[in-house]
Amino acid sequence: QGQLVESGGGAVQAGGSLRLSCAASTIPNSINAMAWFRQTPGTQRELVARITSGGSTNYADSVKGRFTISRDNAKNTVYLQMSSLMPEDTAVYYCYASTRYRNYWGQGTQVTVSS
């Protein structure tokens, strides 16, 4: 019950931009924070950006000034605008949502940045 569906990943050259979207559906409780994480093979999943239901945001140091997280509460959708992409941003990006009772994860979307 409840799922997150991501879209917008793909391949881009360094310096380019991508916009990720994540729509939450059939989640039975109010969503508190939403976030984007990313993971590369052999590493732990790391937080990229987080946004509360009230709109407060925080970012990983590595993406500050380049990525912007936003959300549309009416649509239960969170976005990640990624600009000035670098090869080290290559990863699988996962959407995350938390409610009072549990956390939800998306299936992941691949972002590949070539030099």
Side-chain angles (χ1 to χ4, degrees):
Q1 187 178 16
Q3 63 176 350
L4 301 175
V5 179
E6 299 133 336
S7 60
V12 65
Q13 289 191 327
S17 299
L18 283 174
R19 188 191 195 211
L20 305 182
S21 299
C22 171
S25 64
T26 65
I27 290 180
N29 306 108
S30 295
I31 296 175
N32 298 322
M34 299 188 80
W36 290 94
F37 287 73
R38 66 187 181 187
Q39 188 172 25
T40 55
T43 68
Q44 288 191 327
R45 198 170 293 187
E46 64 171 359
L47 176 67
V48 176
R50 176 180 179 270
I51 185 168
T52 68
S53 57
S56 297
T57 59
N58 60 283
Y59 296 90
D61 287 343
S62 59
V63 307
K64 283 180 181 176
R66 301 188 298 120
F67 291 11
T68 301
I69 189 170
S70 61
R71 66 188 281 179
D72 183 333
N73 289 332
K75 296 181 179 179
N76 275 346
T77 299
V78 64
Y79 306 96
L80 185 68
Q81 178 66 48
M82 304 184 292
S83 302
S84 301
L85 283 161
M86 302 185 293
E88 47 264 49
D89 295 316
T90 296
V92 177
Y93 285 71
Y94 294 91
C95 179
Y96 164 93
S98 67
T99 70
R100 180 179 180 181
Y101 300 102
R102 59 162 291 186
N103 303 324
Y104 296 83
W105 290 94
Q107 79 284 359
T109 185
Q110 177 71 44
V111 171
T112 301
V113 184
S114 58
S115 58

